[in-house]
Amino acid sequence: MYQLRRFATRHARAYEMVYNASSPIILATLTVFNKLFGSKLDAPVTWFEKQVKGALFDCKMCGNCVLSSTGMTCPMNCPKTIRNGPCGGVRANGNCEVKPEMKCVWVDAWSGSQKMKHAQEIELIQFAPNHQHKGSSAWIRLAKEGGTNRATKSVSKAEV
Amino acid sequence: MNAQASQHPPVDNLGSPLPEAVGHVSQGRFERVLRQGHFVVTSEIAPPDSADADQVYERAALFDGVCDAINATDGSGANCHMSSVAVCALLSHVGYSPILQISCRDKNRIAIQGDVLGAAAMGVCNVLALSGDDVSAGDHPEAKPVFDLDSISLLTTIRTMRDESRFLSGRKLDKAPKVFAGSTINPFVPPIENRVRQLQKKVAAGAEFIQTQYCFDLPVLRDMMRRSVDMGLTEKAFILAGVGTLASANTARWLRTNVPGVHIPDELIQRLEGAENQKAEGQKICVELMQQCKEIEGISGVHVMAYRQEKYVAEMVRQSGVLDGRQVWAPGY
Ligand code: SF4
């Protein structure tokens, strides 16, 4: 869903608002689910997250979601899965060095982020994802850990 | 040791490691020369397609007397060559100051941390963190790309090992790798506006030196450097501008179409085209670029990339005068 993904980047501000408004609701619901049913609903929730975020953002279910700090652009679509991009190989037309027909994910991410209220979040260092989380639901993890969806949590020590 | 080994240059006490110095993170000459405020020159070795150590020494010898440090590329262009760790170990052994390039393409965090320790144990004092070209660019396109880390995560990893004396897992190191950490930037590709932020991020992640992609478009470089100076980035990291020599207008055109991230302005290609001797003109351009980079505020040195033209590097550096007559260490000197 390349077109939808790029639409999200162009309308990053609106997506951010929807995302910020819906995230607490989703997380609260999942927290309740977790209390009531334990892990029984994990599989359907994961399936649901995959469908929604897959359609909207080409989400790859890395399980370490950083969408809100990467201009609503999923960095796992970068062929090098760079989490702090772009790399130095971006083509003059802004397309990817590896996939010449695709806009560089990070060119989109930067332009998306500049439209967002929390524009400076893209400047935070995102350490490489935890591979054990691949394929699992980022929502459930956040609900269970009682975390927020803001990326500030993953700022590395080196930044301080 | 066989007779061949005796051809290696003699081990020289003036080489690395140097005595520890206050405020220095490594015991390498590269960091020392930079912190002394000299304008430095680095270049790079294309590791041989061979198991012969002498080829490494022959290639390094071309830079004797003009290069403060030598980068050993890590499967550059995703092509297979001798490993950068091995090249750096061989060079360190005779006193050179190599820069170990680590690409995230071929190794995961387990292998990379092992390499950093091993390299430091063999005397390597400088590490350059790269994301790396995709496997599709090289001679083994069927290989599995790793990309477990990216260059910024790799910088964080190196700094964690060095400064906190532990692996990413938290497990303690008996001796931390005292390496000077660096990375690269490309000021010339989109999103150009945000490239200085990318530099800022690399510095925040722990880069202490930066080597740039080829700089053929100096107005763009000057603009980025002005912003870097304003943001205070040049106080935290030494920036080396990448310069190169173009063998002909055709080579220049080929480079900019086929090598990701290489930006060469049309005027430069026209200048080459109009020259009687294109090769000589390409070298003249390189000399001028070095001289001009030296005048830009915030630039601490140049990194000369002269793939297959390595034998001209020494002469070009001498002609440019950027070393100000400084005698650069070489084996036996
Ligand atoms: S050009 Fe952009 S999308 Fe392509 S590999 Fe580099 S950072 Fe990733």
Side-chain angles (χ1 to χ4, degrees):
Chain A
M1 295 293 252
Y2 180 58
Q3 293 309 334
L4 258 184
R5 185 217 305 176
R6 305 236 29 233
F7 182 86
T9 303
R10 283 198 301 278
H11 300 89
R13 183 67 194 260
Y15 271 65
E16 180 188 32
M17 282 159 69
V18 175
Y19 195 85
N20 285 347
S22 58
S23 290
I25 303 172
I26 295 173
L27 291 188
T29 315
L30 289 179
T31 311
V32 174
F33 276 14
N34 189 36
K35 284 210 182 94
L36 293 179
F37 309 106
S39 295
K40 273 189 220 124
L41 289 181
D42 283 8
V45 170
T46 307
W47 180 86
F48 181 68
E49 179 176 342
K50 194 172 172 184
Q51 302 310 310
V52 174
K53 281 163 66 179
L56 292 177
F57 307 109
D58 266 347
C59 164
K60 298 287 182 269
M61 293 299 279
C62 72
N64 307 251
C65 193
V66 285
L67 271 176
S68 59
S69 39
T70 54
M72 306 310 286
T73 306
C74 170
M76 302 320 270
N77 286 297
C78 163
K80 301 182 190 173
T81 60
I82 292 177
R83 303 275 279 194
N84 302 279
C87 73
V90 186
R91 288 164 195 267
N93 63 359
N95 282 11
C96 171
E97 87 168 70
V98 185
K99 295 185 178 173
E101 67 292 345
M102 178 182 89
K103 183 59 86 185
C104 163
V105 168
W106 282 96
V107 168
D108 272 350
W110 277 95
S111 85
S113 75
Q114 301 313 299
K115 299 182 187 116
M116 289 166 67
K117 191 158 162 243
H118 297 277
Q120 69 301 341
E121 282 204 4
I122 196 165
E123 288 166 26
L124 300 173
I125 292 167
Q126 304 289 348
F127 194 76
N130 180 339
H131 227 70
Q132 290 172 304
H133 294 167
K134 195 167 165 40
S136 70
S137 160
W139 287 347
I140 294 177
R141 177 159 314 97
L142 285 170
K144 284 189 180 160
E145 289 169 3
T148 72
N149 224 1
R150 296 249 77 93
T152 30
K153 294 197 82 189
S154 44
V155 181
S156 96
K157 284 202 181 113
E159 231 228 351
V160 194
Chain B
M1 281 278 167
N2 56 24
Q4 264 213 328
S6 64
Q7 292 172 7
H8 298 174
V11 177
D12 191 319
N13 289 333
L14 288 171
S16 303
L18 300 171
E20 284 184 28
V22 185
H24 291 226
V25 298
S26 75
Q27 288 172 266
R29 205 174 328 101
F30 178 51
E31 181 188 6
R32 199 121 329 170
V33 179
L34 277 170
R35 293 206 196 275
Q36 282 167 354
H38 296 296
F39 191 81
V40 307
V41 176
T42 60
S43 190
E44 61 190 37
I45 280 195
D49 297 335
S50 164
D52 182 4
D54 284 331
Q55 287 195 19
V56 173
Y57 293 122
E58 278 158 23
R59 290 175 192 204
L62 295 173
F63 306 137
D64 281 357
V66 295
C67 287
D68 293 291
I70 303 173
N71 287 43
T73 55
D74 183 10
S76 73
N79 292 306
C80 202
H81 305 289
M82 185 191 285
S83 79
S84 56
V85 175
V87 171
C88 288
L90 288 167
L91 293 180
S92 296
H93 181 67
V94 296
Y96 284 106
S97 183
I99 299 175
L100 173 69
Q101 296 199 180
I102 301 181
S103 146
C104 296
R105 175 193 59 237
D106 307 321
K107 283 170 275 192
N108 68 9
R109 59 193 90 181
I110 301 175
I112 288 177
Q113 292 180 93
D115 274 356
V116 171
L117 281 187
M122 293 188 284
V124 178
C125 298
N126 317 291
V127 179
L128 187 83
L130 302 163
S131 294
D133 302 301
D134 188 65
V135 293
S136 56
D139 66 344
H140 291 70
E142 68 282 11
K144 180 176 184 184
V146 179
F147 295 114
D148 180 28
L149 304 177
D150 58 22
S151 59
I152 286 184
S153 300
L154 175 51
L155 279 169
T156 309
T157 305
I158 295 165
R159 291 295 302 262
T160 303
M161 292 176 75
R162 186 188 87 195
D163 300 341
E164 299 173 28
S165 193
R166 62 174 179 88
F167 288 116
L168 288 173
S169 66
R171 206 147 48 78
K172 283 275 166 228
L173 301 171
D174 291 336
K175 186 172 192 275
K178 293 296 178 200
V179 289
F180 192 43
S183 191
T184 56
I185 48 155
N186 186 351
F188 308 100
V189 288
I192 291 180
E193 265 304 294
N194 292 315
R195 286 289 162 177
V196 74
R197 302 283 178 79
Q198 188 69 359
L199 170 62
Q200 183 185 34
K201 223 170 159 178
K202 291 203 165 176
V203 172
E208 293 154 323
F209 72 94
I210 294 283
Q211 291 174 315
T212 77
Q213 176 57 280
Y214 281 120
C215 298
F216 289 114
D217 193 342
L218 292 190
V220 176
L221 178 67
R222 283 195 192 97
D223 187 52
M224 161 136 175
M225 287 312 300
R226 192 180 37 72
R227 293 168 67 192
S228 310
V229 171
D230 289 347
M231 288 163 76
L233 299 176
T234 51
E235 278 158 37
K236 296 183 186 141
F238 298 97
I239 316 258
L240 276 63
V243 295
T245 166
L246 302 163
S248 68
N250 279 339
T251 316
R253 266 193 224 98
W254 184 89
L255 265 175
R256 78 171 176 187
T257 356
N258 294 295
V259 180
V262 176
H263 163 70
I264 306 174
D266 291 335
E267 305 86 77
L268 215 61
I269 297 188
Q270 281 154 15
R271 177 171 161 192
L272 281 169
E273 222 148 36
E276 230 168 84
N277 181 341
Q278 297 200 359
K279 197 164 170 183
E281 191 69 13
Q283 290 170 15
K284 199 163 158 240
I285 291 173
C286 183
V287 168
E288 290 170 14
L289 287 170
M290 284 191 244
Q291 293 164 336
Q292 288 163 352
C293 285
K294 194 175 180 208
E295 300 306 314
I296 302 176
E297 189 187 351
I299 295 215
S300 306
V302 284
H303 176 61
V304 192
M305 291 171 274
Y307 181 60
R308 290 208 177 128
Q309 305 215 63
E310 289 90 347
K311 59 173 183 270
Y312 305 114
V313 170
E315 186 47 36
M316 290 191 297
V317 174
R318 284 199 192 97
Q319 268 184 28
S320 76
V322 292
L323 287 171
D324 290 326
R326 181 167 59 88
Q327 184 66 49
V328 171
W329 180 94
Y333 157 69

